[in-house]
């Protein structure tokens, strides 16, 4: 059985054991490389809240003639990307009885209902999960510019143009090249090219071998031609925490790591310590840290959920009934709804939407309430999340009007 230099008593057992558990905690926390550190730029927060203001940009220089006044220009101020330090912690107890009865495991970092090793691994998993969530939610969140991280219509401060960093489809040689082209077209706030170039391809684990085949093949992947593979030599990063347990999505994205985009901001480094539990002779071992994750810019990123069109949509079933007159219909029942809100669209040329399509143009649905329409119109009912992104849908249905 391991021993210590000091004799362990009720008064000092936490003092004796805390350094042992602390070492096990940090050894476990650092035992594997953290994938997010190759994707997110890690910086130190100097205060609880940290902002990244977005400023406009100058347009192209204008030609001038000798003796003339300078061509003046200005750029405007845009929105701010804001980060706020969040607290993360976890604890377990170390009782005197456990110390007395099971010293072998106590010296291996085991406590009541937890362990130093488990605490370290759990923190590592927490950081991976939080950072991966930026990407997973990046197709439906509302960011600093009013758009999702991955969107087709990012506004520019000093230009009327829009920019896209969203691509549809599974990972293929063709879709990867389309993503690379899309990145090369990214512009600054004045609509001028920033010459972004992808350095790495980040994929969920289900796409590991597809990604490596596309990038590393001598010939073009996925075809029977003898064309040379023209995909640049991207670094392939497999991120286990991007996996979708439902199997509906297989996200992937490319990144120009030379640009500031994804950020992990640490306010307080992880600590491990102990404290005496009040009115007990037992101690609490705990870990604590503060950080925030997110993005300060969408540039240098192009991503896909890894699905095509409506694939991956949840399914709703709706019952259509006649309205109270010849210009109305109604929905009397909807099944398959999750935690979202129901909306509808009605008209002569309604089509089935895709996963994460914007639903701001849809109307809130009230069951058993007249919906104005014309005979021959179509209707589709959708479920949307808090960002007005479509998650479930019915098929396109025919309206039933009253008499």
């Amino acid at each position: 059985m391991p021993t210590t230099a000091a004799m362990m008593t009720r008064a000092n057992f936490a003092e004796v054991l805390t350094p042992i558990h602390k070492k096990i905690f940090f050894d476990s926390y650092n035992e594997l490389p953290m994938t997010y550190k190759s994707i997110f730029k890690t910086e130190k927060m100097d205060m609880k809240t940290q902002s990244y203001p977005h400023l406009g940009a100058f347009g192209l220089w204008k030609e001038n003639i000798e003796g003339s006044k300078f061509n003046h220009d200005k750029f405007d101020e845009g929105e701010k990307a804001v980060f706020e330090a969040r607290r993360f912690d976890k604890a377990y107890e170390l009782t005197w009885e456990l110390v007395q009865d099971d010293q072998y495991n106590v010296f291996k970092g085991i406590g009541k209902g937890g362990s130093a090793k488990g605490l370290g691994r759990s923190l590592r998993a927490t950081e991976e999960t939080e950072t991966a969530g930026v990407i997973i939610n990046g197709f439906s969140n509302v960011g600093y510019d009013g758009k999702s991280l991955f969107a087709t219509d990012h506004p520019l401060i000093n230009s009327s143009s829009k920019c896209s960093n969203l691509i549809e489809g599974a990972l293929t040689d063709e879709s990867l090249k389309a993503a690379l082209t899309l990145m090369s077209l990214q512009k600054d706030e004045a609509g001028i090219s920033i010459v972004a170039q992808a350095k790495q391809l980040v994929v969920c684990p289900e796409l590991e071998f597809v990604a490596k085949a596309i990038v590393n093949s001598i010939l073009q992947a996925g075809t029977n031609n003898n064309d040379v593979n023209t995909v640049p030599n991207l670094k392939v990063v497999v991120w286990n925490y991007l996996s979708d347990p439902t199997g509906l999505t297989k996200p992937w994205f490319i990144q120009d790591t030379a640009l500031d985009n994804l950020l992990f901001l640490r306010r307080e480094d992880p600590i491990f310590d102990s404290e005496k539990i009040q009115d007990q002779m037992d101690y609490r071992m705990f870990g604590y840290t503060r950080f925030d994750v997110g993005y300060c810019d969408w540039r240098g990123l192009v991503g896909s959920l890894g699905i095509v069109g409506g694939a991956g949509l949840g399914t709703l079933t709706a019952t259509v009934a006649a309205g109270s007159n010849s210009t109305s219909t109604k929905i009397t029942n909807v099944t398959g709804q999750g935690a979202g809100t129901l909306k509808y669209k009605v008209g002569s040329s309604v089509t089935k939407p895709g996963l994460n399509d914007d639903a701001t143009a849809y109307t809130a649905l009230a069951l058993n309430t007249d919906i104005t329409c014309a005979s021959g119109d179509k209707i589709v009912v959708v479920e949307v999340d808090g960002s007005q992104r479509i998650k479930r849908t019915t098929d396109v249905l025919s309206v039933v009007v009253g008499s």
Side-chain angles (χ1 to χ4, degrees):
M1 182 170 63
T3 61
T4 63
M7 183 179 207
M8 193 159 53
T9 66
R10 287 187 182 92
N12 76 351
F13 80 85
E15 180 182 342
V16 171
L17 289 171
T18 298
I20 297 172
H21 283 229
K22 181 177 182 179
K23 182 180 186 307
I24 294 171
F25 167 80
F26 280 107
D27 285 348
S28 300
Y29 174 63
N30 294 309
E31 69 184 348
L32 294 174
M34 298 184 205
T35 307
Y36 80 84
K37 291 188 175 181
S38 65
I39 302 166
F40 281 67
K41 183 178 180 180
T42 301
E43 295 183 346
K44 188 76 174 176
M45 294 183 79
D46 296 323
M47 55 191 70
K48 181 180 179 180
T49 302
Q50 191 158 316
S51 299
Y52 291 79
H54 282 261
L55 300 175
F58 287 124
L60 297 174
W61 286 27
K62 295 179 180 179
E63 185 177 353
N64 210 337
I65 59 175
E66 182 179 354
S68 296
K69 294 181 179 179
F70 284 108
N71 291 311
H72 287 267
D73 201 355
K74 69 180 182 68
F75 54 73
D76 301 315
E77 185 174 347
E79 301 299 326
K80 295 179 181 179
V82 180
F83 293 74
E84 184 169 344
R86 294 178 289 150
R87 171 176 169 163
F88 295 84
D89 58 50
K90 187 73 74 174
Y92 61 92
E93 293 181 7
L94 199 58
T95 66
W96 174 247
E97 289 81 2
L98 185 65
V99 172
Q100 287 293 88
D101 298 338
D102 193 13
Q103 288 193 16
Y104 178 79
N105 282 322
V106 165
F107 277 95
K108 290 174 65 177
I110 304 296
K112 183 181 178 182
S115 71
K117 181 177 289 187
L119 216 61
R121 289 174 175 172
S122 179
L123 176 56
R124 186 176 69 243
T126 298
E127 293 180 2
E128 293 278 16
T129 301
E130 289 290 323
T131 47
V134 176
I135 304 301
I136 293 168
N137 298 323
F139 298 90
S140 59
N141 74 308
V142 178
Y144 66 86
D145 64 351
K147 304 296 178 181
S148 300
L149 168 57
F150 299 104
T152 59
D153 55 349
H154 288 288
L156 306 179
I157 297 173
N158 286 110
S159 172
S160 59
S161 300
K162 307 285 186 181
C163 265
S164 173
N165 70 334
L166 173 66
I167 192 163
E168 286 191 354
L171 178 60
T172 63
D173 180 85
E174 182 180 3
S175 64
L176 178 56
K177 288 175 180 175
L180 291 165
T181 300
L182 192 60
M183 179 173 287
S184 70
L185 297 175
Q186 290 182 354
K187 303 181 185 304
D188 69 9
E189 299 292 358
I192 298 174
S193 175
I194 60 173
V195 198
Q197 293 184 324
K199 308 296 191 300
Q200 60 187 25
L201 167 62
V202 184
V203 299
C204 62
E206 295 85 351
L207 295 177
E208 176 179 1
F209 301 108
V210 174
K212 290 178 178 178
I214 293 173
V215 172
N216 298 326
S217 294
I218 297 174
L219 301 179
Q220 184 176 344
T223 72
N224 292 322
N225 336 346
N226 290 323
D227 294 344
V228 173
N229 181 17
T230 55
V231 171
N233 187 26
L234 299 172
K235 175 185 176 183
V236 176
V237 179
V238 181
W239 200 1
N240 289 346
Y241 288 84
L242 280 186
S243 182
D244 179 358
T246 70
L248 296 178
T249 64
K250 294 180 180 178
W252 59 273
F253 66 98
I254 55 174
Q255 181 182 25
D256 185 345
T257 52
L259 300 177
D260 288 342
N261 37 60
L262 301 173
L263 295 178
F264 182 106
L265 301 183
R266 180 84 72 181
R267 180 70 181 106
E268 292 183 78
D269 290 333
I271 64 170
F272 183 92
D273 211 336
S274 63
E275 63 180 6
K276 191 176 186 305
I277 302 173
Q278 187 175 5
D279 296 328
Q280 295 177 226
M281 57 188 199
D282 306 324
Y283 279 78
R284 179 180 295 111
M285 301 290 187
F286 64 87
Y288 165 92
T289 187
R290 281 201 298 160
F291 65 85
D292 197 15
V293 298
Y295 61 97
C296 63
D297 206 339
W298 53 266
R299 293 171 179 84
L301 299 167
V302 174
S304 171
L305 272 174
I307 55 178
V308 182
L313 276 171
T315 300
L316 297 175
T317 302
T319 302
V320 184
S324 60
N325 54 55
S326 61
T327 59
S328 66
T329 189
K330 65 177 64 173
I331 301 295
T332 59
N333 185 57
V334 178
T335 59
Q337 182 182 2
T341 303
L342 294 178
K343 303 184 80 172
Y344 72 89
K345 179 180 282 188
V346 66
S348 58
S349 59
V350 174
T351 58
K352 187 174 181 178
L355 180 66
N356 287 320
D357 280 359
D358 181 44
T360 52
Y362 285 62
T363 304
L365 175 66
L367 296 177
N368 297 302
T369 301
D370 279 350
I371 298 171
T372 302
C373 65
S375 179
D377 277 355
K378 304 294 183 182
I379 189 169
V380 64
V381 178
V382 299
E383 179 184 342
V384 303
D385 64 12
S387 300
Q388 296 299 303
R389 299 290 177 173
I390 295 172
K391 299 300 180 182
R392 293 179 174 86
T393 182
T394 64
D395 290 329
V396 176
L397 307 169
S398 297
V399 302
V400 180
V401 297
S403 56

